[in-house]
């Protein structure tokens, strides 16, 4: 793990649309002593907001961390209709595991109100925000309180895709396609942004052996995670003809804990927010052929074995 033994835990906010891959990211973060999860903010994405908030409550309870507050945020993108992905994630968003109805409920405050208050009350460059879905919540905060960017240490998001195209349109990845305006606001907010796009997540595919190893933990987390992942990967295995599916969102948490597992480049990334043909495309100036500012640490490579070994170690810590 990256933090030296005497370092205090890194304060993070997970912004998410669970989603089976979000679920593994949340579980991994809650298992990592190097991270202090201040709260989980749900956003509409893979499934509608009511379900993403419910799923987040289920996940903090599954991890044995019911004290971690969950907040419900934006139920639709900034300026567009919501597009969901039940065909990938199932009707609940976390199909594949038999999980009890949550005992906890989302906090009464809106996620954006809580996020804004938390970030504004923090010190300069103190808080890390981890968007795992459409970036509507984060962008809404930044539009209302642009000064909040000063207290953000880093925005580490899963989203985008360039060299390998998109997974929702030929050129657009789901999180950015659902709310391209929000992604563009985040990329230009002034806080350091690290993007883990499909270009890297597709280089670390799950294997049946790994999923069975997780199930073999025999814990409620291991059994639930394996069930969710077997359900989740079927769509990508069928679509791409591969033997395993990518596990997108946990790469954000793995990057925080082990940045040495990843490689990328600081460059300019812009989002297409108008063209019907290329809406949501992340245009990456990888070779610096424009004079546009370098606003993103764009990650393209990962040590796949290191990633999955880290995830297994983290999941093994949970009940
Ligand atoms: O394109 C993959 C992303 O879209 C992941 O975050 C997945 O959970 C969905 O939100
Ligand atoms: Ca997600």
């Amino acid at each position: 793990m990256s933090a030296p033994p005497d370092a205090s835990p890194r304060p993070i906010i997970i912004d998410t649309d669970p989603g089976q891959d979000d679920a593994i990211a949340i579980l991994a973060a809650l298992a990592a002593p190097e991270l202090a999860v201040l709260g989980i903010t749900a956003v509409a994405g893979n499934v509608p907001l009511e379900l993403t908030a419910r799923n987040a409550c289920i996940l903090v309870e599954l991890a044995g961390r019911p004290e971690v507050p969950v907040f419900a945020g934006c139920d639709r993108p900034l300026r567009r209709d919501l597009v969901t992905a039940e065909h990938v994630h199932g009707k609940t968003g976390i199909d594949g595991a038999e999980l009890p109805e949550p005992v906890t409920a989302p906090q009464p405050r809106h996620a954006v109100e809580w996020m804004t208050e938390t970030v504004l009350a923090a010190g300069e460059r103190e808080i890390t925000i981890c968007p795992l879905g459409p970036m509507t919540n984060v962008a809404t905060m930044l539009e209302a309180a642009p000064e909040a960017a000063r207290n953000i240490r880093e925005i580490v998001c899963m989203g985008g895709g360039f060299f390998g195209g998109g997974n929702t349109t030929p050129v657009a990845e789901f999180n950015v396609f659902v709310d391209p305006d929000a992604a563009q606001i985040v990329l230009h907010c002034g806080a350091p942004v690290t993007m883990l796009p499909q270009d890297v997540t597709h280089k670390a595919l799950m294997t049946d052996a790994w999923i069975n190893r997780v199930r073999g933990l025999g814990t409620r987390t291991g059994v639930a995670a394996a069930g969710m992942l077997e359900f989740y990967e079927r769509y990508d295995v069928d679509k791409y003809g591969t033997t395993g599916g990518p596990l997108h969102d946990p790469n954000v948490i793995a990057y925080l804990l082990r940045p040495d597992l990843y490689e990328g480049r600081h460059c300019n990334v812009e989002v297409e927010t108008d063209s019907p043909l290329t809406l949501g495309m992340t245009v990456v100036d990888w070779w610096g052929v424009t004079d546009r500012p370098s606003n993103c640490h764009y990650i393209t490579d990962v040590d796949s074995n290191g990633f999955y070994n880290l995830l297994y170690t983290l999941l093994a810590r949970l009940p």
Side-chain angles (χ1 to χ4, degrees):
M1 310 292 181
S2 60
D6 59 350
S8 55
R10 181 171 180 170
I12 72 169
I13 295 172
I14 298 176
D15 190 67
T16 179
D17 63 337
Q20 290 88 349
D21 59 325
D22 304 68
I24 304 304
I26 292 166
L27 293 170
L30 294 175
E34 299 88 343
L35 303 176
V37 181
L38 303 179
I40 297 176
T41 52
V43 67
N46 286 321
V47 289
L49 177 67
E50 184 180 350
L51 284 172
T52 59
R54 167 190 176 272
N55 295 342
C57 291
I58 288 173
L59 292 163
V60 297
E61 293 173 29
L62 177 63
R65 299 288 305 282
E67 80 285 358
V68 177
V70 170
F71 301 86
C74 299
D75 63 1
R76 74 201 65 198
L78 291 181
R79 302 179 179 74
R80 296 180 178 278
D81 295 335
L82 177 63
V83 173
T84 55
E86 288 88 348
H87 60 291
V88 178
H89 298 272
K91 64 179 176 25
T92 70
I94 51 172
D95 283 24
E98 292 302 318
L99 292 166
E101 281 302 308
V103 174
T104 55
Q107 300 293 312
R109 299 180 69 188
H110 191 284
V112 175
E113 180 193 350
W114 172 82
M115 185 190 288
T116 306
E117 181 183 270
T118 300
V119 174
L120 288 177
E124 194 164 334
R125 295 285 183 245
E126 182 180 344
I127 306 292
T128 297
I129 299 181
C130 304
L132 308 179
M135 299 178 220
T136 316
N137 286 341
V138 182
T140 302
M141 171 184 73
L142 291 166
E143 281 199 309
E147 69 276 19
R150 183 180 59 240
N151 292 350
I152 298 173
R153 172 176 169 178
E154 190 175 12
I155 297 174
V156 185
C157 64
M158 190 280 142
F162 182 65
F163 298 101
N167 60 6
T168 303
T169 76
V171 294
E173 175 277 329
F174 180 79
N175 290 338
V176 178
F177 175 75
V178 170
D179 202 337
D181 304 286
Q184 182 72 345
I185 288 167
V186 166
L187 282 163
H188 290 273
C189 74
V193 177
T194 296
M195 181 173 269
L196 287 109
Q198 286 188 247
D199 297 312
V200 65
T201 64
H202 279 249
K203 293 181 181 174
L205 302 182
M206 288 183 277
T207 64
D208 291 345
W210 185 79
I211 293 175
N212 289 327
R213 193 172 167 223
V214 169
R215 176 178 286 109
L217 290 168
T219 58
R220 69 179 191 216
T221 298
V223 171
M228 282 191 276
L229 292 176
E230 278 179 345
F231 178 93
Y232 169 64
E233 76 163 351
R234 84 212 181 283
Y235 179 83
D236 285 327
V237 166
D238 180 57
K239 175 177 178 178
Y240 297 107
T242 49
T243 55
L247 191 46
H248 302 289
D249 293 337
N251 281 280
V252 167
I253 305 305
Y255 176 82
L256 291 179
L257 296 171
R258 288 284 309 277
D260 59 294
L261 295 177
Y262 294 88
E263 290 182 13
R265 180 180 295 183
H266 286 85
C267 57
N268 176 264
V269 178
E270 302 290 335
V271 179
E272 176 55 61
T273 56
D274 296 317
S275 158
L277 178 63
T278 56
L279 184 71
M281 179 176 185
T282 43
V283 180
V284 180
D285 187 2
W286 186 257
W287 299 110
V289 298
T290 73
D291 58 359
R292 295 195 291 254
S294 171
N295 60 343
C296 182
H297 185 198
Y298 191 81
I299 304 298
T300 53
D301 282 300
V302 58
D303 172 346
S304 180
N305 288 332
F307 170 60
Y308 282 104
N309 287 337
L310 172 61
L311 280 190
Y312 177 83
T313 301
L314 292 166
L315 294 174
R317 292 181 183 157
L318 296 175

